[in-house]
Amino acid sequence: MSAVIDASLSFDDSLPLLGIAAWSGTGKTTLLEQLLPRLTERGLRAAVIKHAHHAFDIDQPGKDSHRLRQAGASPMLIASRARVALMMETPNQPEADLAQLIEMIRPQRPDLVLIEGFKAWPLPKLALHREALGKPLLVDDDPWVRAVASAAPVSLPAGVEALDLDDLEAIADWVAAWPARWPREQAPREDVEAGA
C-alpha cells in the first residue's frame, strides 16, 4: 500500500517545495529549528508550512481577534506593524488542504517552502529516520522521497541520497541546493529517473 494520498499539487519552477517527513517523535521541528538559521546564512528566505494533528488557537480568548473569529469572521486577518496573522475555521475539512496553504504562501515569494508533516502528500521530501523508534523507512512506500537523513546507515533505493542526521551543515547544504534542483524534481523518483 502506498503512503501517498491521491491528491495533486500544482508545481512551478518559481516556488520550490520540499517536504520534511518523518514519524512523530523523529525530530522534524527540532531539525527545522536548527536548519532555518543555516539557510538564512546561505542567503535563502525559507517559508514553513507545518501540519498540526489537533485543534490549536493562536489568538487569546477575550482579545478582539478571538472575539471576532468566534462571532463568525472567516477568515479573520489581524495586522500590525510587526506581523500579520490570518485565521480561519475549517470545520468541514478533514485535514488542511496543502494546495491551498501553498497558494497562501506564494505571494510572499520565498526562495523555498519547507513543509513539515503532510507526509502522505505527493511532493518531493527529505525523510528523517531514527531506528530507535522502530518505525519503517518512509522511502519504502513513498516514491517522492529524495533523501533520507538517519543517524545510522540504512539501505536506500536507487536515486535516494543518504544524509547523516547529525551533520546539520551537510543537511543545510543539501536543502540550500534544493531550489536549483527543483525544476528537475517535480515528479516521483521513477519519473525523474526516466527523464519524464
Side-chain angles (χ1 to χ4, degrees):
M1 180 174 157
S2 175
V4 179
I5 65 171
D6 184 21
S8 65
L9 294 173
S10 179
F11 297 142
D12 68 58
D13 293 352
S14 68
L15 189 65
L17 306 174
L18 180 63
I20 306 297
W23 297 104
S24 181
T26 305
K28 296 180 298 291
T29 301
T30 301
L31 176 73
L32 280 171
E33 184 179 25
Q34 297 170 335
L35 186 59
L36 288 165
R38 288 169 170 82
L39 295 176
T40 300
E41 289 169 3
R42 288 162 172 79
L44 289 175
R45 188 169 159 256
V48 175
I49 296 174
K50 179 178 172 35
H51 182 264
H53 292 282
H54 47 77
F56 62 91
D57 224 338
I58 62 169
D59 57 351
Q60 301 293 321
K63 294 292 185 179
D64 292 349
S65 60
H66 187 269
R67 291 172 46 212
L68 294 170
R69 187 168 52 88
Q70 293 295 312
S74 183
M76 173 65 208
L77 188 131
I78 183 168
S80 74
R81 184 174 47 87
R83 84 183 35 97
V84 172
L86 175 67
M87 295 162 283
M88 67 181 89
E89 302 298 321
T90 56
N92 298 324
Q93 296 180 15
E95 185 173 338
D97 185 304
L98 182 57
Q100 290 176 334
L101 298 175
I102 291 168
E103 291 309 311
M104 292 170 75
I105 293 289
R106 185 179 302 278
Q108 303 306 313
R109 298 184 0 203
D111 298 313
L112 171 66
V113 179
L114 298 172
I115 300 166
E116 181 186 339
F118 295 96
K119 72 178 174 244
W121 279 78
L123 76 148
K125 299 174 187 90
L126 164 60
L128 312 183
H129 181 74
R130 290 194 189 279
E131 192 173 317
L133 290 178
K135 298 285 191 177
L137 282 167
L138 295 177
V139 70
D140 293 338
D141 290 325
D142 188 343
W144 289 92
V145 173
R146 295 301 196 279
V148 174
S150 61
V154 292
S155 178
L156 299 174
V160 177
E161 296 180 58
L163 299 171
D164 182 344
L165 190 54
D166 297 319
D167 188 345
L168 290 170
E169 292 304 320
I171 293 172
D173 288 342
W174 190 88
V175 172
W178 187 254
R181 292 175 55 185
W182 171 246
R184 300 180 310 277
E185 300 282 354
Q186 299 175 22
R189 278 190 315 272
E190 296 83 15
D191 294 350
V192 169
E193 292 168 8

